[in-house]
Amino acid sequence: MAYEEVCYLKNYAANANNALRCSIIDNLYNSDDHSYRNAFMRDRDRILYCKSFLRLSGKTQVYAPSKSDHQRTRLTHTLEVSQIARTIAKSLDLDLDLTEAIALGHDIGHTPFGHAGERMLHEIMSPSNDIDSQIPKSTSIYKLTSNDSKEAYKKLYGFKHNLQSVRATIEDLETRSSENGLDLCNYTLWGMAHHSSIKYKAGKVATDYLEPLFYQKYSRYWKKADGSDAWSFEAFVVAEADEIAQMHHDLEDAIRSKSISYESVFNLVGMIEDLMDDNDKEIFKALQQDPRSKEFFIAVVSKVVVNTLVTHLINASKKNFEAISIKDIIPQNIHSLNTDLIENEFIKKTIGYDVFDNDCVTKKINDFKYSLSKAVLYSNDVQRTDSKGRYIIKNLFEAYYTNPQQLPDTALKNLYKSLSIEGYKFEIKDKYYKIDSSKLRYALTQAISEIRGKRNIEMDICIMRIICDYIAGMTDNFAINEYEKLYG
């Protein structure tokens, strides 16, 4: 079915006219309408020009960027997600601007050293009484013994990169003039938060606390005026595009790093061979007979994998949209209504590889993804990079927690602001952004000494959160350099 023929699909695209910004939700002010850019276009542009986005170029995707100029970084991954998501969204007649905004912003809260860094920060920011834990032993979590303290801490714990992306755009982490940071709209924030699960799977982290409850306070910013979630099919598209991008570039990077052999690649990609169209099957068979150069091999394998996955996703999703339209499962003007349809099983399965009530293609692709993940993530290069990243982040956190005065002025100003919001009374009356460096450090020295002397757990955790923010924003090389400055 040609793109031009799918006219009914536009009924399911998100409408920028229904978008609400953080500043509107907080009743601070109404953003003026722009003469030629709608809300989704402005979100895309704000993300593209923010410093968090720029730093993605120095953050590990899977393989450390320093090992090769041709390994993916978090930035190149983001651009590939955006390209794949736009292709899918255009074929489904969804909103391209919202799709791009979500795709460009989905990883801006990511840590250095990839998911290993993310999991390390979550473990640090989670309750523990295990003195042999990998978490820094100087942090306040080791002193939590009463049930009251543990319950108070539960409301403040955790870290996850997709939820940190939301926090990074709302809080004034980059000293922007707006009280709401980038002041993004609800549809963009919901998509960024939900491109990945909002909690960890059991066994993925060294803690029993799997859901980062700290971020619950931001959920109101991804709601509509009626209180329902500002979900969108565009967000589901980005989530699938993220998975597709990971599969194809993990395969490419593994080949370049010689982590897997050509034979292993043929076996892996062969798992989805029966899903390929006739042309790609011929190309894949020819490649098996003559791989030619490594770069040619990589380019062809990647093209076949992406084309197969994207084609199946688009074709199945079109049929699913047609089914929900015919069955009147959802109304045509869906995004302007008060609905809880996000919990509807048909809504969740609309963007996918299978037509409703059939999961055979999804199962094949999940098996391929799982086998590829094992081959890549358990390679020697990746395991060494992950271990190094965890070690550096753990020790950086311990150093900053032991002496927060080592943090830069920007982080200390955010700490001053956070403690003020939490109720700590400073003698100085200046706004946090007007205090000079020496006065700020003196005031915080007094405050931290008092907080820890009185065993004020909530405010001590506030200090930990600012340290967590600062480390999460680092690039790999910056984190390594900071570690060397502190530890030699």
Side-chain angles (χ1 to χ4, degrees), residues 42-214:
R42 295 169 76 185
D43 280 4
R44 175 200 62 202
D45 298 345
R46 291 176 184 188
I47 292 167
L48 187 64
Y49 290 103
C50 76
K51 291 192 294 184
S52 295
F53 183 81
L54 298 177
R55 290 195 297 271
L56 294 178
S57 63
K59 297 191 178 190
T60 290
Q61 176 60 28
V62 172
Y63 292 88
S66 59
K67 292 186 70 70
S68 169
D69 290 338
H70 301 118
Q71 302 285 16
R72 282 347 188 263
T73 64
R74 192 61 58 178
L75 178 62
T76 55
H77 161 74
T78 295
L79 297 176
E80 290 174 4
V81 172
S82 177
Q83 177 265 319
I84 293 171
R86 282 176 59 86
T87 298
I88 297 169
K90 183 174 182 180
S91 296
L92 299 177
D93 211 3
L94 298 175
D95 190 283
L96 297 185
D97 297 315
L98 175 59
T99 301
E100 190 171 22
I102 296 171
L104 293 178
H106 82 281
D107 268 356
I108 61 174
H110 221 301
T111 60
F113 310 113
H115 288 290
E118 174 187 27
R119 290 190 290 268
M120 186 72 254
L121 279 180
H122 178 68
E123 291 165 20
I124 290 172
M125 298 301 296
S126 296
S128 174
N129 294 309
D130 180 6
I131 61 172
D132 295 321
S133 170
Q134 301 176 73
I135 303 170
K137 296 180 181 179
S138 60
T139 58
S140 62
I141 52 181
Y142 282 90
K143 303 170 186 176
L144 296 180
T145 55
S146 73
N147 290 330
D148 289 340
S149 295
K150 289 179 183 177
E151 288 304 312
Y153 193 84
K154 284 180 183 179
K155 300 175 183 177
L156 302 169
Y157 83 81
F159 179 90
K160 207 163 192 306
H161 82 273
N162 47 321
L163 301 175
Q164 182 71 8
S165 294
V166 173
R167 172 171 165 81
T169 64
I170 293 175
E171 300 292 348
D172 191 17
L173 300 184
E174 297 190 353
T175 62
R176 294 176 63 88
S177 58
S178 168
E179 288 295 320
N180 292 88
L182 297 183
D183 197 21
L184 303 181
C185 74
N186 48 355
Y187 283 95
T188 304
L189 293 174
W190 192 93
M192 288 164 57
H194 292 83
H195 82 268
S196 180
S197 173
I198 60 173
K199 60 183 178 181
Y200 292 92
K201 293 180 180 177
K204 286 289 186 180
V205 286
T207 173
D208 294 331
Y209 299 89
L210 303 179
E211 185 175 358
L213 299 181
F214 166 77

Side-chain angles (χ1 to χ4, degrees), residues 252-269:
E252 287 190 28
D253 288 351
I255 298 169
R256 284 202 175 93
S257 69
K258 300 179 180 179
S259 297
I260 56 176
S261 65
Y262 283 12
E263 183 179 359
S264 296
V265 173
F266 288 132
N267 289 335
L268 283 168
V269 179

